[in-house]
Amino acid sequence: AGTSIKAACHMNTKIKRFKKKVKQILPRLPFGSALMFYLAFLQNAKHVVKRFKKEIREADSLLVNDIWTAYYVHKYMPEKKMIFIMHNSGDLYSMLYIQLPKLKRGAIHHFLARIQEEIFACAARIVFVSETAAEKFREGNVKYADKAVFIPVGLEPVECRYKHTYDKIEFVSTGTVCTRKNQIALIQAMEKLKDPSAVLTIV
């Protein structure tokens, strides 16, 4: 039994190493990038929209937060009024291209451009949570400028009337570690702060 367990553990380690190697190699190849893109983004969105198609059949309008779900909502439920919520200024694929740079050209690139155009065209409104982002979108997408709407997140400024009694204040940053997210600025700010009770955690 002990030998069998050791053999199984050794096999599991080999499989993990193999999977790690595959994940490192795939983004370097156009086909590998396309496969990873489908499995990580399109497949999940397709599954979600198909699964909830019956439940949301009675809805008049749909609020959609990401381009992949929007694509399948438009594909499977074109009769629905879709409100597309943007969390950027119209640059939908910048993070995707950082993760999978091989998608920047070829058939997938043209597919992504087509999706973007379709969603902007079919959306009843394109909602932004930042006024600056909405203005930038209007400047770069004149054709869809009348659809761009700024709606703030709804948080009123709150006056802090108490002091913390914790031993430390922890700042947490979550997201892809890259130039665009600029975690280096947070590190530099913490350095300038020079407060031993302040801690920065980057996830």
Side-chain angles (χ1 to χ4, degrees):
T3 309
S4 300
I5 291 167
K6 280 181 186 175
C9 289
H10 184 65
M11 183 57 73
N12 282 342
T13 306
K14 277 189 170 182
I15 291 167
K16 281 180 186 174
R17 281 184 193 153
F18 176 73
K19 283 182 177 177
K20 191 177 179 183
K21 278 270 189 228
V22 168
K23 282 183 180 178
Q24 288 171 342
I25 293 166
L26 281 179
R28 298 176 196 165
L29 308 167
F31 170 76
S33 292
L35 180 64
M36 288 183 78
F37 162 65
Y38 176 77
L39 294 174
F41 299 102
L42 288 184
Q43 187 183 50
N44 290 337
K46 187 177 183 180
H47 174 72
V48 166
V49 172
K50 278 189 165 183
R51 182 177 172 186
F52 289 103
K53 190 179 175 183
K54 289 178 182 176
E55 281 84 345
I56 61 178
R57 189 167 48 196
E58 302 305 318
D60 296 318
S61 302
L62 301 177
L63 299 177
V64 183
N65 269 288
D66 73 283
I67 189 75
W68 322 117
T69 307
Y71 170 66
Y72 284 109
V73 164
H74 176 55
K75 188 173 180 177
Y76 296 128
M77 292 175 279
E79 75 284 356
K80 297 292 183 190
K81 183 188 282 188
M82 180 166 58
I83 297 161
F84 185 50
I85 302 172
M86 297 273 278
H87 297 275
N88 51 53
S89 56
D91 190 4
L92 288 168
Y93 305 126
S94 55
M95 291 303 296
L96 178 67
Y97 289 149
I98 287 167
Q99 292 172 298
L100 301 167
K102 293 288 182 187
L103 298 182
K104 275 187 177 181
R105 53 189 175 271
I108 297 289
H109 177 72
H110 294 300
F111 170 69
L112 292 173
R114 182 171 62 79
I115 287 180
Q116 178 173 305
E117 191 65 22
E118 280 181 19
I119 298 310
F120 288 169
C122 77
R125 289 286 182 272
I126 303 169
V127 176
F128 293 84
V129 294
S130 156
E131 197 165 10
T132 307
E135 283 303 319
K136 192 175 175 185
F137 176 83
R138 288 187 193 107
E139 287 168 16
N141 299 273
V142 179
K143 191 165 44 166
Y144 305 115
D146 61 325
K147 293 186 176 189
V149 180
F150 162 60
I151 300 177
V153 290
L155 296 175
E156 296 293 331
V158 177
E159 183 187 346
C160 184
R161 295 179 182 175
Y162 61 91
K163 290 186 177 180
H164 76 90
T165 54
Y166 306 107
D167 294 332
K168 65 176 183 179
I169 301 172
E170 187 163 9
F171 298 90
V172 181
S173 167
T174 63
T176 307
V177 177
C178 63
T179 308
R180 179 181 163 87
K181 296 291 184 185
N182 201 11
Q183 284 89 352
I184 196 74
L186 288 172
I187 294 167
Q188 289 166 346
M190 294 296 288
E191 195 176 17
K192 285 182 180 178
L193 197 59
K194 291 185 169 62
D195 184 346
S197 69
V199 177
L200 171 63
T201 301
I202 296 173
V203 181

